[in-house]
Amino acid sequence: MSLDKHQMAALIARDIPHGAYVNLGIGRPTLVADHLPADSGVVLHTENGMLNMGPAAKGDDVDPDLINAGKIPVTELPGTSYFHHADSFAMMRGGHLDVCVLGAFQVSAGGDLANWHTGEPDAIPAVGGAMDLAIGAKSVYVMMTLFAKDGSSKLVPECTYPLTGVGCVDRVYTDLATFLITPSGIEVRETFGITLDELRARVPVPLAG
Amino acid sequence: MSAKIYETAADAVAGIEDGSTVLIGGFGMAGMPVQLVDALIDQGAADLTVVSNNAGNGDTGLAALLAKGRVRKVVCSFPRQVDSWVFDGLYRAGKIELEVVPQGNLAERMRAAGAGIGAFYCPTGVGTPLAEGKETRMIDGRTYVLEYPIKGDVALIGAHRADRMGNLVYRKTARNFGPVMATAARLVIVQVSEIVETGDLDPEAVVTPSIYVDRVVTA
């Protein structure tokens, strides 16, 4: 069976090392937080200036001054710290974050990432922190469905959408398989409800099993 | 000189000229100096370049300034949001210029302006459309893009508390761009929830020292 988004999030959560400093991109990657075990020791970073971010705030805990990168009200945990934007992005660029998890439109065989702009004429470009995260975190994990709505593979020889970062992606977690991007090419770590031969027939990049 | 305390937001924004580059703090509405932006709307300065993370939310604050047609250009990282209809409409009608800047570059370019740095090499955006036409340099085996400072004529900032000298503390993630913008503009105007007596802020906890702050008003 292919994985749903919660199963994908759980898989990523299991692969995050104990005690890692982690940034979860807006959208689906935020689901990973729900699957981190209580004793994971993982510290979540949010680009708008906070470490050790807690779960989403509910009811009386909602504070308009305490939000995440998706502008959702969140909570503090013991050990939380706040800092300004230049410091927050220095943490990324300076290589201090262990892992970031990002969504993607496309990932190339060489680990190029496209996730900020469709390039369509009437689309309004909005990059946020995606480019800084993509080149900054020590490990960049992508979480996406393997195929677009039109059936085309989002793992591609070269990205056709505008790039977010060059050669920056380490792993791609999808509903049908987990891919490791290595200097010698793409390795399939595991598959879900599909065989390696079926994957090779639908994904237009060489896949090592 | 130490900051001056103003009685009203209207007094605090007096003198902002047409054609100014205005740095506006906030990440979404957290830290957005709404009363100062409203006062700027009433004050009437036009042909502005606004530097802010977003391009306005809903119909208030920055969105209202845009709706009045006072802004020529927006420099931001993330204009498109579920509630950015004012900007979206102006952009699609060709009535506003947009420079999209990666969020970390936006912060670091203002930090550079405030710190007297002439330009800096940054790895963000290498090989992407946002680095097209920019000078690059290989340093220690990695490619970097040359990025220039963003200087403001004016910064409008929201903070939590000020003392009467203009030292500032912020609250939670409403800090965001405030401390960097406070260093990067010639005239720094701050709205706070509360002004306390000088000496009542813990010196170890001051985030923006008074040297950066020109005008303070409670809102």
Side-chain angles (χ1 to χ4, degrees):
Chain A
M1 281 287 286
S2 64
L3 303 185
D4 66 23
K5 60 187 179 183
H6 298 285
Q7 291 167 318
M8 288 163 63
L11 186 63
I12 295 169
R14 276 204 297 279
D15 283 352
I16 291 177
H18 183 86
Y21 282 74
V22 176
N23 184 297
L24 301 175
I26 56 179
R28 281 187 176 195
T30 57
L31 294 173
V32 173
D34 301 339
H35 297 278
L36 291 167
D39 63 353
S40 71
V42 167
V43 176
L44 294 179
H45 169 266
T46 182
E47 68 191 18
N48 52 316
M50 180 184 193
L51 277 171
N52 219 19
M53 175 176 65
K58 295 195 174 64
D60 290 346
D61 286 337
V62 170
D63 179 339
D65 285 345
L66 180 46
I67 59 175
N68 66 12
K71 307 191 173 76
I72 308 293
V74 291
T75 51
E76 287 176 359
L77 293 174
T80 283
S81 55
Y82 297 109
F83 34 86
H84 63 64
H85 250 81
D87 280 350
S88 182
F89 282 75
M91 288 176 195
M92 297 179 195
R93 254 187 264 106
H96 306 282
L97 277 182
D98 297 300
V99 178
C100 78
V101 184
L102 296 170
F105 299 142
Q106 290 176 324
V107 177
S108 81
D112 296 351
L113 171 67
N115 79 346
W116 71 285
H117 187 22
T118 60
E120 285 162 19
D122 71 331
I124 297 174
V127 69
M131 288 188 181
D132 313 86
L133 269 174
I135 59 91
K138 287 182 203 160
S139 296
V140 175
Y141 298 172
V142 161
M143 176 180 180
M144 67 180 193
T145 56
L146 182 53
F147 297 106
K149 289 200 179 93
D150 67 1
S152 62
S153 174
K154 292 154 81 170
L155 199 57
V156 292
E158 295 291 342
C159 294
T160 53
Y161 287 122
L163 289 186
T164 306
V166 176
C168 56
V169 177
D170 298 286
R171 292 184 188 179
V172 184
Y173 291 87
T174 76
D175 48 341
L176 296 170
T178 305
F179 303 91
L180 307 180
I181 299 193
T182 75
S184 55
I186 298 183
E187 282 174 29
V188 179
R189 188 179 78 173
E190 57 201 327
T191 61
F192 310 101
I194 192 168
T195 67
L196 190 55
D197 285 341
E198 287 168 330
L199 267 185
R200 284 178 172 143
R202 292 187 64 190
V203 175
V205 295
L207 300 175
Chain B
M1 279 194 292
S2 290
K4 277 183 75 175
I5 309 298
Y6 285 71
E7 289 302 314
T8 68
D11 293 339
V13 302
I16 297 177
E17 292 176 4
D18 289 358
S20 295
T21 295
V22 184
L23 317 180
I24 300 181
F27 184 88
M29 294 307 284
M32 170 70 68
V34 173
Q35 280 77 5
L36 291 179
V37 176
D38 286 347
L40 177 60
I41 292 169
D42 294 338
Q43 188 261 3
D47 194 31
L48 301 172
T49 295
V50 167
V51 182
S52 195
N53 188 61
N54 303 109
N57 302 78
D59 293 299
T60 58
L62 177 51
L65 184 69
L66 299 182
K68 292 276 186 188
R70 304 281 173 73
V71 180
R72 180 178 66 79
K73 179 180 180 183
V74 170
V75 180
C76 74
S77 87
F78 210 81
R80 185 191 66 227
Q81 299 171 92
V82 289
D83 57 355
S84 62
W85 49 78
V86 172
F87 174 82
D88 298 358
L90 290 167
Y91 181 79
R92 294 210 161 99
K95 289 181 176 166
I96 199 158
E97 223 180 300
L98 171 66
E99 179 182 349
V100 174
V101 178
Q103 199 170 137
N105 287 8
L106 194 66
E108 193 65 15
R109 288 172 65 187
M110 288 188 280
R111 199 196 70 80
I117 303 296
F120 58 97
Y121 283 101
C122 182
T124 303
V126 169
T128 76
L130 297 189
E132 270 170 22
K134 295 184 176 181
E135 193 177 325
T136 60
R137 181 160 175 171
M138 182 84 84
I139 301 170
D140 206 12
R142 190 174 194 193
T143 306
Y144 295 79
V145 181
L146 188 63
E147 294 287 352
Y148 288 91
I150 297 173
K151 291 178 186 159
D153 297 303
V154 182
L156 306 182
I157 291 167
H160 181 45
R161 285 197 185 97
D163 67 16
R164 302 191 75 83
M165 284 182 73
N167 291 302
L168 304 179
V169 295
Y170 299 82
R171 194 167 171 278
K172 303 182 187 286
T173 57
R175 179 181 308 195
N176 58 68
F177 285 91
V180 172
M181 289 181 170
T183 69
R186 272 191 300 113
L187 174 63
V188 174
I189 308 170
V190 184
Q191 73 169 61
V192 294
S193 306
E194 187 185 7
I195 295 173
V196 299
E197 291 306 316
T198 298
D200 283 358
L201 292 179
D202 176 359
E204 296 284 3
V206 169
V207 174
T208 294
S210 62
I211 191 169
Y212 296 117
V213 177
D214 298 297
R215 302 179 182 179
V216 180
V217 65
T218 47

